[in-house]
């Protein structure tokens, strides 16, 4: 299992860790902490030192009921950050977290190596065509609706079966455009109840039948802190537990706020193997 990032092949048969950098004022856990460029550079420096393989930058919060952000604002938020990070860390592997084709195109033209789309192309019909033209890896997440409506769309007859059908259709469409490097993300917390999130986690190995790398994003989410009756700020230990379960069930990439602890999960899991 390899993905081609700016000409470098990354082997994900050994799980990788993706650090989350939200340059937004309103993300659910770290909103507003990293809007100043020096703070972002310090955060990324620590993540890379702690062992992050990929840094995922987002400028549009996808938390439930998130505010709408205009395309130009999302693009402008990212431009300065991408430029400074590439100048400061020339070997960095960057991913852009966006569902908009124009934002993805701008980011990749600046040096970003992959596109992480929460909508798998549903929210912008130009996204898959754009990714194919850019020739970068594409992360496709499962979601219904938009960040503003997704929590009203949690009715499923069989959540895992319907997700597998969703991914089969999205993969076929992506392949028809010529996208070669695909990664799937079950979308924990997106259009799913707490109970449905755990059903997906318990059956995560079923997604291996799609024969694609699996990215899991559970870091400090409500599926952890609601069950434990704590806050997102207190949910690091619970996050590490869920990361370990995800690795055992076949996750290839962990998307995380806390890189050091996730890297430790991967190391211990690898030792077990």
């Amino acid at each position: 299992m390899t993905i081609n990032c700016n000409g470098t092949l990354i082997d994900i048969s050994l799980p990788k860790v993706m650090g989350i950098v939200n340059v937004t004022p309103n993300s659910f856990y770290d909103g507003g902490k990293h809007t100043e460029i020096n703070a972002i550079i310090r955060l990324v420096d620590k993540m890379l030192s702690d062992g992050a393989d990929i840094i995922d930058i987002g400028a549009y919060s996808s938390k439930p009921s998130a505010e709408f952000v205009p395309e130009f604002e999302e693009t402008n938020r990212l431009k300065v950050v991408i430029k400074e990070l590439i100048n400061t860390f020339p070997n960095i592997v960057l991913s852009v977290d966006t569902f908009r084709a124009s934002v993805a195109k701008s980011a990749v033209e600046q040096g970003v190596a992959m596109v992480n789309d929460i909508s798998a192309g549903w929210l912008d019909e130009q996204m898959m065509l754009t990714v194919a033209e850019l020739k970068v890896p594409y992360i496709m997440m499962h979601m219904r609706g938009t960040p503003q409506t997704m929590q009203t769309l949690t009715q499923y007859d069989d959540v895992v079966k319907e997700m597998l059908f969703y991914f089969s259709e999205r993969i076929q469409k992506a392949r028809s455009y010529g996208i070669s490097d695909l990664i799937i993300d079950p979308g924990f917390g997106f259009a799913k109840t707490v109970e449905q999130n755990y059903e997906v986690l318990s059956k995560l190995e079923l997604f291996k039948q799609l024969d694609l790398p699996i990215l899991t994003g559970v870091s400090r989410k409500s599926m952890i802190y609601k069950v434990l009756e704590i806050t997102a700020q207190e949910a690091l230990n619970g996050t590490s537990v869920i990361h370990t379960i995800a690795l055992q069930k076949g996750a290839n990439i962990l998307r995380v706020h806390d890189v050091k602890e996730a890297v430790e999960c991967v190391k211990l899991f690898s030792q077990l193997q």
Side-chain angles (χ1 to χ4, degrees), residues 107-176:
V108 172
E109 287 175 346
Q110 292 180 80
V112 166
M114 69 177 72
V115 175
N116 181 10
D117 179 2
I118 61 170
S119 79
W122 280 115
L123 294 180
D124 188 335
E125 62 183 16
Q126 294 300 310
M127 178 61 95
M128 286 196 183
L129 177 60
T130 299
V131 171
E133 291 173 348
L134 295 169
K135 295 182 170 57
V136 293
Y138 184 46
I139 302 167
M140 305 187 300
M141 195 186 80
H142 174 267
M143 183 178 72
R144 286 176 165 181
T146 68
Q148 291 77 22
T149 64
M150 63 185 179
Q151 292 310 101
T152 66
L153 302 170
T154 59
Q155 292 74 39
Y156 302 86
D157 292 327
D158 184 323
V159 62
V160 172
K161 184 177 180 181
E162 290 178 46
M163 287 173 65
L164 286 168
F165 180 81
Y166 169 100
F167 279 123
S168 296
E169 188 276 334
R170 294 284 88 192
I171 291 165
Q172 183 179 24
K173 189 171 183 66
R175 295 293 192 212
S176 74

Side-chain angles (χ1 to χ4, degrees), residues 189-204:
F190 288 80
K192 299 170 190 70
T193 64
V194 169
E195 292 74 19
Q196 288 164 345
N197 284 320
Y198 281 96
E199 181 178 354
V200 173
L201 178 64
S202 72
K203 299 176 181 178
L204 191 64

Side-chain angles (χ1 to χ4, degrees), residues 68-126:
F68 177 83
V69 177
E71 262 179 75
F72 75 88
E73 185 173 345
E74 184 182 2
T75 300
N76 289 340
R77 284 179 181 177
L78 289 167
K79 274 185 176 179
V80 174
V81 175
I82 292 169
K83 179 181 178 181
E84 290 299 324
L85 289 180
I86 290 177
N87 286 341
T88 306
F89 311 103
N91 297 320
I92 195 170
V93 177
L94 290 175
S95 166
V96 63
D97 178 4
T98 185
F99 56 82
R100 290 163 165 163
S102 67
V103 177
K105 186 173 189 293
S106 171
V108 172
E109 287 175 346
Q110 292 180 80
V112 166
M114 69 177 72
V115 175
N116 181 10
D117 179 2
I118 61 170
S119 79
W122 280 115
L123 294 180
D124 188 335
E125 62 183 16
Q126 294 300 310

Side-chain angles (χ1 to χ4, degrees), residues 225-271:
Y225 66 76
K226 284 184 177 179
V227 171
L228 298 177
E229 298 181 344
I230 56 176
T231 65
Q233 285 68 30
E234 298 170 299
L236 176 55
N237 184 57
T239 296
S240 294
V241 172
I242 303 300
H243 281 160
T244 303
I245 295 169
L247 290 169
Q248 290 176 323
K249 290 183 168 290
N252 302 100
I253 302 173
L254 302 178
R255 183 176 181 272
V256 309
H257 297 95
D258 308 280
V259 170
K260 179 178 180 289
E261 291 79 2
V263 168
E264 288 176 353
C265 287
V266 170
K267 285 182 178 178
L268 293 174
F269 167 76
S270 300
Q271 187 68 28

